[in-house]
Amino acid sequence: MTGTDVAESHSGKSGARRSSAPREVTASGRSAALALTGCLVGVFMQMLDTTIVNIALPDLTRELGASTSEQLFVLSVYTLAFACTLLTAATLGGRLGRRRVFVGSVIAFVVTSMACGLAQNPLELIVARGAQGVSAALMSAQTLALIAALFPKSRHPLVFGVYGAVAGLAAMLGPVIGGVLVTADIAGWGWRTIFFVNLPMGVAACALAWRRLPQLRDRPATRIDLAGVALSSVGLFLLLYPLAVGREMGWPPLLWVLLALAALMLIAFVGVEKRLLRGGGTPLLRLDLFTSRRFALGLVLSLLFFSVFAGFFFTVSITTQFGLGYSALRTGLLALPFAIGGALGSVASPQVVSRIGAARTLALGALLLGVGLACLAVVLRPETAMLSVPAAIAPLVVGGLGTGVFVAPLQTTILADTSPETVGSASGCVPTVQQIGASIGLAVVTVFFFGQVASQAETAVSSARTQLTAELRDSPVEPIFREPVTQRFADCASAQLTSAHPERPAAGCQPGGGDTTGMAATIAAQAGPQLHHATRTVVAHSFVGAFVATLWVLAGACVLIAILSGTLGLRRRPRLGSGYQNRGHTARTPRHR
């Protein structure tokens, strides 16, 4: 550890001492383990809240009366605030002290979580979710640097593996825990319990982390890179906002303008950071990190993997809830085999790394995830309009196993070449890239998925119409009215499935939206059971078919990730006068197993 990092005494007294080596900062075995546990509880909370809200959205929408746009912001504002604050949060931690910022942000996260749970209208919930995202970013940006300081370099593969495993498992368990909490309806709180559950976890994180974590404050205190803060925050917002709301708004020209402005802002940000680094200042993002091939390629892998991960969980959730009509609990429990596989993969990953090396382990994990997704696509049968849970369990376990094997060593690989001077900046960069990857994945996958729903419509509607015609022969509906009933059904089903929102009935086709008296009401009542069955069939057929097509694309992306992971193990011949040598370092080739 260099003289720019300070570990304040754990008693909390003033007079922090300058630390000259990592050995002076690392804590004793038991203290370090407890501090690590506190960090991991914080990681679990912040990652849990990225996915737990999805499962409770229908319930909170009904209670708060949220509009479609308000529902969208409830989901996206957390990620937007999280991603746009991470780089700034890493700098603030170095200036104010990482322990102080971590503990303070845990407290803020709990307070904002309670505010979310107590919200009485959509606006209050959206504001509280945004503040919750900022708190999560302040917490997340300190975690990697704190863990790196708690343990010697030789133990980083293990502890970063545990960190990655906990983060991945939290995201996987979000739907499960959310489904259980919403269904349990503890004390009549319903969906609000998904936020209240953060209170005991936050208290535990503070109790474990306070006084055990090193303070890690930059000395001397450097000026905050205000230009970098402004350019990165605005640039990331202009990038992520269109990705979050694009499909809902139909991608108007304004969103494309915002994306173009985002590119300009981020290019300007890179220019400012380069100039500041050359001038000996302290940039928000140290671009010399990218001279490490493992860091740069590791971020690319992280971006791609979390795109696949977010896209997969979105399509699972929307296919089961809207396509198959599953309850929140049943949808959540469907993620349980994936989470179990993830836990097993995380436990096995360190042993796999010790045998075949990090690069091959990452490739193996990506391939296993791809195999799991491909097998799930094979066992699904869109024409049956149902999901066989027993048949899906094994592919989900395999996919989770691959996720655990991949995520556990990813952080270690990315941070392998960081130094005490750069690990703080890397702590903000790594989760930022993960959030960008998740946002890009959701945007791209939703466009493809709903496009596939529309392409399935003709076949699905034709099949359901034939089935409905046969079923109406045994109904009380008079023969003269059967053809108009089937025609209206086909028109409404086609309009719904080819619309921008195939998860909602088309205009004028809502149940009970027509006449409530007279001949039309009588016919609707007589054909009610058959129409309900036909509607469920056509929607399920289309959504399951789209899900299958999406799974094949995601499996292909996993193969690409595996190929790129394998290149991490390729040795590069150092070139004289380039790379690290130009910066006064000895040129060397990182060793890979």
Side-chain angles (χ1 to χ4, degrees):
M1 192 68 76
T2 65
T4 61
D5 294 302
V6 171
E8 289 186 356
S9 66
H10 289 223
S11 63
K13 297 177 182 178
S14 61
R17 60 185 175 84
R18 208 177 277 273
S19 113
S20 58
R23 189 183 303 272
E24 295 181 58
V25 177
T26 55
S28 63
R30 183 174 181 274
S31 179
L34 291 173
L36 174 64
T37 303
C39 288
L40 295 180
V41 172
V43 169
F44 189 90
M45 279 197 309
Q46 71 203 25
M47 293 307 297
L48 186 72
D49 274 61
T50 62
T51 57
I52 196 172
V53 177
N54 298 55
I55 215 77
L57 191 61
D59 293 86
L60 69 86
T61 297
R62 282 192 296 271
E63 183 171 332
L64 298 181
S67 66
T68 301
S69 59
E70 287 168 338
Q71 294 174 47
L72 181 65
F73 275 107
V74 167
L75 293 177
S76 61
V77 71
Y78 178 85
T79 303
L80 284 170
F82 194 170
C84 294
T85 312
L86 278 164
L87 289 175
T88 304
T91 297
L92 288 176
R95 184 179 178 87
L96 303 176
R98 298 198 183 281
R99 180 184 68 196
R100 183 176 293 115
V101 173
F102 178 84
V103 174
S105 60
V106 171
I107 295 171
F109 190 85
V110 170
V111 171
T112 53
S113 295
M114 298 301 290
C116 289
L118 295 171
Q120 298 301 307
N121 57 64
L123 179 60
E124 290 180 8
L125 180 57
I126 290 168
V127 171
R129 279 283 283 173
Q132 192 188 33
V134 173
S135 304
L138 288 166
M139 190 193 323
S140 176
Q142 322 310 322
T143 307
L144 291 175
L146 287 168
I147 293 175
L150 280 170
F151 296 91
K153 195 87 171 179
S154 60
R155 298 193 66 191
H156 283 184
L158 175 61
V159 293
F160 283 138
V162 173
Y163 165 88
V166 169
L169 281 172
M172 287 183 257
L173 287 172
V176 180
I177 295 174
V180 170
L181 290 174
V182 171
T183 303
D185 193 20
I186 301 169
W189 290 333
W191 60 269
R192 299 177 189 274
T193 54
I194 67 171
F195 297 111
F196 293 158
V197 74
N198 290 327
L199 176 60
M201 288 193 288
V203 171
C206 287
L208 290 166
W210 183 247
R211 298 185 181 277
R212 293 189 176 93
L213 288 173
Q215 190 64 275
L216 291 184
R217 179 187 298 161
D218 292 342
R219 295 289 189 184
T222 55
R223 294 180 61 184
I224 294 179
D225 175 15
L226 294 178
V229 168
L231 288 171
S232 66
S233 300
V234 175
L236 287 171
F237 178 82
L238 293 177
L239 170 67
L240 298 177
Y241 175 76
L243 295 178
V245 303
R247 187 189 74 85
E248 187 74 25
M249 296 177 64
W251 288 101
L254 175 62
L255 294 188
W256 294 105
V257 172
L258 294 183
L259 287 174
L261 290 174
L264 294 176
M265 287 282 187
L266 294 176
I267 290 171
F269 169 67
V270 170
V272 168
E273 300 307 278
K274 278 184 177 179
R275 186 167 62 251
L276 192 57
L277 185 62
R278 281 198 303 265
T282 306
L284 196 66
L285 175 62
R286 293 189 60 115
L287 297 176
D288 52 342
L289 283 166
F290 293 89
T291 59
S292 165
R293 183 168 172 271
R294 283 191 287 190
F295 182 84
L297 185 53
L299 288 183
V300 173
L301 293 175
S302 183
L303 183 87
L304 293 174
F305 183 84
F306 282 94
S307 295
V308 171
F309 184 85
F312 170 68
F313 269 91
F314 168 80
T315 50
V316 167
S317 177
I318 201 163
T319 298
T320 52
Q321 286 192 281
F322 292 107
L324 299 175
Y326 282 15
S327 66
L329 179 60
R330 192 177 180 187
T331 300
L333 290 177
L334 193 62
L336 191 57
F338 198 94
I340 291 171
L344 295 175
S346 300
V347 171
S349 189
Q351 287 75 31
V352 178
V353 171
S354 67
R355 287 181 174 272
I356 65 175
R360 291 191 181 95
T361 300
L362 291 170
L364 175 63
L367 284 176
L368 282 173
L369 176 58
V371 168
L373 299 182
C375 289
L376 186 58
V378 169
V379 301
L380 291 175
R381 292 285 183 270
E383 62 273 11
T384 65
M386 62 182 297
L387 171 66
S388 173
V389 174
I393 289 176
L396 288 171
V397 171
V398 172
L401 188 69
T403 300
V405 168
F406 184 92
V407 170
L410 181 61
Q411 313 297 334
T412 309
T413 302
I414 295 174
L415 299 178
D417 296 329
T418 58
S419 65
E421 293 85 2
T422 59
V423 71
S425 181
S427 294
C429 184
V430 172
T432 299
V433 169
Q434 292 175 355
Q435 291 300 317
I436 292 173
S439 297
I440 292 175
L442 281 174
V444 173
V445 169
T446 52
V447 169
F448 178 81
F449 177 82
F450 287 113
Q452 287 297 308
V453 170
S455 71
Q456 300 278 334
E458 185 177 353
T459 303
V461 171
S462 176
S463 175
R465 179 173 181 167
T466 301
Q467 183 181 3
L468 177 60
T469 299
E471 291 180 353
L472 285 176
R473 294 194 188 105
D474 298 324
S475 73
V477 179
E478 294 291 335
I480 193 174
F481 297 122
R482 290 172 188 171
E483 177 57 29
V485 168
T486 57
Q487 184 60 52
R488 176 169 170 75
F489 161 77
D491 291 343
C492 285
S494 296
Q496 175 179 343
L497 295 174
T498 56
S499 71
H501 303 284
E503 72 275 18
R504 299 200 296 263
C509 297
Q510 294 87 346
D515 295 333
T516 57
T517 59
M519 182 68 71
T522 301
I523 295 172
Q526 291 174 339
Q530 292 78 16
L531 286 172
H532 176 75
H533 181 255
T535 300
R536 291 303 324 149
T537 299
V538 74
V539 172
H541 187 161
S542 301
F543 274 70
V544 173
F547 185 38
V548 169
T550 305
L551 286 172
W552 283 115
V553 172
L554 295 178
C558 288
V559 173
L560 173 62
I561 295 170
I563 293 171
L564 290 175
S565 298
T567 64
L568 279 170
L570 299 178
R571 299 183 179 224
R572 255 191 340 184
R573 189 185 300 276
R575 293 184 300 164
L576 202 61
S578 66
Y580 286 104
Q581 282 185 321
N582 283 346
R583 292 168 176 80
H585 294 281
T586 303
R588 60 184 179 88
T589 302
R591 305 176 82 184
H592 300 279
R593 291 182 182 272

